[in-house]
Amino acid sequence: MSLLLTSRLSLYKKTSFRLIRNPIRFFGLHTGKYEQYLRMNQKKETLRELELGLATVQRRFMSQQITRYGDLEMVRSTGEYNKERKFLRMKDITSEMEGQTVKLRARVHRTTGKGKAVFLILRENFSTMQACMFSNDVEQEMLDYTRRIPKESIVIIEGTVQVPHRPIKKCTEQVEILINGIWNQHSSLPRLPLNLDDASNIVRDQTLEDDLIPENQKVGKKKKKGRQSIVVGQNTRLNNRILDLRVPANQAIMRISAGICRFFREYLQDNDFVEIHSPKLIGGTSEGGSEVFRLDYFGSDACLAQSPQLYKQMAVVSDFERVFEIGPVFRAENSLTPRHLCEFTGLDLEMSFDDHYFEVVDLISEMFGYIFERLNEKYRREIDAVQQQYPFKEFIFKPNVPKIKFTDACEILKKAGFHQDPLKDLGTENEEKLGKIVKKKYKTDFFIVYNYPAEARPFYSMINPNDPEYTNSYDFFMRGQEILSGAQRIHDPEMLAERAIVKGIQPETIQDYIDCFKYGAYPHAGGGIGLERVLKLFLGIHNIRKCSMFPRDPKRLTP
């Protein structure tokens, strides 16, 4: 067809003419000449149509010759916007689609195969899928090109869905793609500072990731063939956090973290709570003590908020009655333990109650039940992805949450042979020991201890009217570690000022907070939850840094 069009174009060009801009003026009243001009003009229009037809044929011919592989130009949004999604999600490609042609975009996780075959492990978020090509179906140059694509490059794959006869052990998706076309959309550097295969190894003893152990000694259990699995240290991971977050287990951890926030917000909004956003730059300490970041604020002293505590209470007194917040919390704790961070995400709530602070305790218990139930229901794939790399015992929660008085907890520890001062806070070791005793007795990983000593609580905790050495306070525990601390708050301004002085806080630095209770205040209580700690304990993670996207501790301010 293209040859025919070319010959016809040559014929028309021999009889081509100059197009006259104003034919009436040129021909005047000579009608015959004007009609002759019109006939020639029609011939000119036909010539244009033939030229367009030839260009169309040439474009179609060239499109058929476009290679089925290669590097693509950088995406710069130069084409027209198409609302329809071009690429299928890996998790949406199922065995029911066998035989269909699909197009997807993913990272190259691993490449294997020699000679006449290439196998790719593709990765999208925490999903992995196998793709393959064979010399019977594609040219050798395409096989060689595919082998040269660096790991972590982003590729576009077009191919046919196949269901393998045997399970694909190292992939989450049990279908594979027979590749018809592969294009490298954005190439990675060939040398990676972190090997994602090593970073994805199964870690049965998570303490091996702690950087107290030299890197060259960090090896896991021997495999059957005598090889040893490498364990990547926590600092190496965090120094290359962008790559580390691509590890499927870490992808899953961060998504479960988002799920906790989602269900926390969902439950509270369904129970008439209002979300608030409090300032993080404040004029005085919000918790008391020395664990505060101090800074200069245009010539005045200021602090980073240790919690939104004061502002939650102000909101309740302002007749919002039930409020919550999700936001950063800062603690200047010079601690490098696996359970402490200098900045974490706080899930805080505060509410008025009728006549007893246990109303708040019960609501928080129900809220946690809601969160745990929804996580197991909606985030099963993510939980399984974490389980695959970091095997852990499933978290056990029972609706009838055990409530243990602080003095009774001291007696329980004493009977088990452990000393606990009834006027001091529970230490980390005794919390863990108590957790094991409760687990054995009540068959649950979740419990509450209430009525803590006044010495162990912040200045705004309500003193127990029956025993002034104790407070109307409570802590919630997961696997023997505290994840929520709360109490009934003092809502009398004089009592509040007295308690602030006892705790070493100058009342004038929090005068606005004290004054807000002078004009009528509801009895109220609440609590503060550490998101990362809940996530850590729900998934049985050893080091809390793994549960923060970009953690901050005394030795880390980057990335």
Side-chain angles (χ1 to χ4, degrees):
M1 180 177 175
S2 60
L3 293 175
L4 177 61
L5 283 170
T6 304
S7 62
R8 291 185 66 183
L9 279 170
S10 300
L11 177 63
Y12 272 102
K13 284 179 179 178
K14 288 179 181 178
T15 59
S16 64
F17 58 94
R18 179 174 59 87
L19 184 63
I20 300 171
R21 292 184 178 181
N22 193 335
I24 297 297
R25 182 179 179 183
F26 182 83
F27 293 111
L29 297 176
H30 297 283
T31 308
K33 290 184 178 180
Y34 181 60
E35 290 177 350
Q36 184 182 0
Y37 166 78
L38 291 176
R39 287 195 297 271
M40 295 179 68
N41 191 42
Q42 289 175 357
K43 190 177 290 188
K44 181 69 174 180
E45 293 299 323
T46 305
L47 176 64
R48 289 174 179 169
E49 291 175 5
L50 288 171
E51 288 175 338
L52 291 172
L54 177 61
T56 301
V57 170
Q58 288 173 336
R59 281 197 303 271
R60 288 176 181 172
F61 176 76
M62 290 300 294
S63 67
Q64 292 173 0
Q65 297 304 306
I66 290 175
T67 180
R68 292 190 290 174
Y69 62 94
D71 296 341
L72 298 178
E73 292 183 2
M74 183 190 300
V75 175
R76 299 177 67 184
S77 304
T78 52
E80 293 185 5
Y81 171 52
N82 184 0
K83 291 185 178 181
E84 294 184 5
R85 183 175 177 82
K86 294 177 66 176
F87 308 119
L88 279 176
R89 289 288 188 190
M90 198 178 285
K91 63 183 179 63
D92 296 329
I93 302 174
T94 63
S95 57
E96 286 76 18
M97 299 170 68
E98 185 175 14
Q100 294 184 25
T101 299
V102 297
K103 198 171 189 178
L104 68 151
R105 180 171 63 183
R107 289 191 183 274
V108 176
H109 184 70
R110 189 183 305 121
T111 305
T112 57
K114 296 181 179 180
K116 299 182 178 181
V118 174
F119 293 89
L120 299 176
I121 300 297
L122 303 174
R123 194 183 73 249
E124 181 187 61
N125 306 139
F126 61 91
S127 300
T128 51
M129 178 182 288
Q130 180 169 281
C132 55
M133 63 173 72
F134 304 95
S135 58
N136 294 338
D137 305 312
V138 301
E139 56 268 35
Q140 185 63 41
E141 290 81 1
M142 184 171 173
L143 290 170
D144 295 337
Y145 169 81
T146 303
R147 290 192 188 97
R148 291 194 299 270
I149 298 176
K151 289 182 179 180
E152 295 306 298
S153 296
I154 298 172
V155 295
I156 295 172
I157 300 284
E158 189 175 76
T160 307
V161 179
Q162 297 185 151
V163 179
H165 298 295
R166 297 178 181 178
I168 307 172
K169 294 182 179 180
K170 295 185 177 181
C171 292
T172 61
E173 311 306 314
Q174 293 305 304
V175 294
E176 66 179 5
I177 306 297
L178 180 61
I179 299 174
N180 302 324
I182 179 168
W183 299 272
N184 190 350
Q185 189 180 62
H186 198 275
S187 188
S188 168
L189 291 175
R191 187 177 180 86
L192 298 173
L194 179 68
N195 187 319
L196 267 71
D197 280 330
D198 292 341
S200 302
N201 281 338
I202 297 174
V203 182
R204 301 189 185 280
D205 181 3
Q206 294 184 41
T207 60
L208 289 173
E209 290 188 335
D210 289 345
D211 290 286
L212 299 175
I213 304 170
E215 287 290 333
N216 59 2
Q217 295 180 19
K218 291 181 181 180
V219 292
K221 293 182 178 180
K222 290 186 178 181
K223 296 181 180 180
K224 291 181 179 179
K225 295 182 180 180
R227 297 175 61 193
Q228 292 180 315
S229 60
I230 297 172
V231 177
V232 180
Q234 193 64 49
N235 276 339
T236 302
R237 289 179 177 275
L238 294 179
N239 290 340
N240 301 279
R241 190 59 165 159
I242 299 301
L243 289 175
D244 185 46
L245 286 170
R246 295 179 188 176
V247 173
N250 290 336
Q251 280 279 314
I253 289 170
M254 290 298 105
R255 292 167 192 276
I256 295 168
S257 175
I260 294 170
C261 293
R262 169 189 171 186
F263 299 131
F264 174 79
R265 176 180 283 113
E266 207 171 82
Y267 177 86
L268 294 178
Q269 288 179 336
D270 287 346
N271 283 274
D272 300 325
F273 279 73
V274 177
E275 185 168 6
I276 63 170
H277 305 283
S278 64
K280 305 308 168 194
L281 283 170
I282 60 176
T285 62
S286 49
E287 297 286 343
S290 59
E291 298 169 352
V292 58
F293 289 104
R294 302 183 184 277
L295 64 149
D296 177 77
Y297 188 73
F298 303 104
S300 300
D301 293 332
C303 303
L304 292 178
Q306 295 165 289
S307 83
Q309 184 55 52
L310 313 186
Y311 296 97
K312 289 189 302 177
Q313 292 183 254
M314 287 178 175
V316 171
V317 174
S318 299
D319 286 358
F320 288 98
E321 292 199 55
R322 293 185 170 200
V323 297
F324 75 94
E325 177 173 350
I326 301 175
V329 174
F330 303 92
R331 299 286 172 89
E333 293 184 276
N334 192 9
S335 176
L336 292 170
T337 71
R339 57 181 288 182
H340 287 94
L341 291 171
C342 291
E343 179 184 350
F344 62 90
T345 301
L347 310 181
D348 281 85
L349 69 150
E350 201 78 20
M351 62 177 279
S352 63
F353 59 84
D354 293 339
D355 56 19
H356 202 288
Y357 74 95
F358 268 24
E359 296 170 33
V360 183
V361 173
D362 288 344
L363 180 138
I364 294 172
S365 296
E366 292 175 6
M367 179 196 71
F368 273 113
Y370 179 87
I371 291 171
F372 298 145
E373 181 182 343
R374 293 299 184 276
L375 287 177
N376 284 315
E377 177 186 344
K378 301 291 186 181
Y379 286 79
R380 193 70 250 173
R381 277 169 53 92
E382 288 84 349
I383 293 170
D384 291 343
V386 178
Q387 182 78 260
Q388 187 174 356
Q389 182 172 2
Y390 298 103
F392 66 93
K393 293 181 180 179
E394 290 279 334
F395 180 77
I396 300 174
F397 172 85
K398 292 189 175 181
N400 295 323
V401 180
K403 294 190 186 87
I404 305 169
K405 196 172 183 178
F406 186 86
T407 50
D408 293 338
C410 294
E411 286 298 318
I412 291 171
L413 288 168
K414 183 178 179 181
K415 289 179 181 178
F418 308 114
H419 173 72
Q420 171 62 46
D421 188 333
L423 295 178
K424 300 287 186 181
D425 199 2
L426 287 172
T428 302
E429 290 185 9
N430 276 356
E431 285 181 348
E432 292 177 353
K433 291 168 183 174
L434 181 64
K436 291 177 181 178
I437 296 169
V438 171
K439 175 72 175 287
K440 186 176 181 180
K441 182 177 180 180
Y442 296 100
K443 312 299 181 187
T444 181
D445 288 315
F446 192 78
F447 63 96
I448 302 164
V449 177
Y450 68 96
N451 205 48
Y452 274 76
E455 186 176 325
R457 309 307 280 193
F459 74 96
Y460 48 74
S461 299
M462 179 65 76
I463 299 298
N464 187 323
N466 300 318
D467 190 342
E469 291 185 322
Y470 292 89
T471 56
N472 294 347
S473 56
Y474 42 87
D475 279 359
F476 283 65
F477 290 84
M478 293 175 64
R479 300 188 197 264
Q481 293 188 35
E482 174 255 312
I483 49 95
L484 176 146
S485 184
Q488 178 184 353
R489 320 303 187 180
I490 296 174
H491 55 286
D492 177 80
E494 292 182 3
M495 184 187 296
L496 195 58
E498 291 172 4
R499 291 298 301 166
I501 293 171
V502 170
K503 289 292 184 176
I505 299 173
Q506 295 302 316
E508 57 269 19
T509 64
I510 54 170
Q511 196 61 50
D512 289 341
Y513 168 64
I514 294 173
D515 288 346
C516 76
F517 300 106
K518 292 180 178 180
Y519 311 108
Y522 295 105
H524 58 280
I529 305 163
L531 169 64
E532 291 83 356
R533 193 169 287 187
V534 172
L535 180 63
K536 169 186 183 293
L537 295 167
F538 182 76
L539 296 174
I541 299 296
H542 167 66
N543 197 318
I544 198 168
R545 290 158 184 77
K546 196 176 294 295
C547 299
S548 173
M549 184 167 279
F550 299 104
R552 294 290 178 261
D553 63 32
K555 292 189 176 180
R556 181 168 293 279
L557 269 174
T558 58

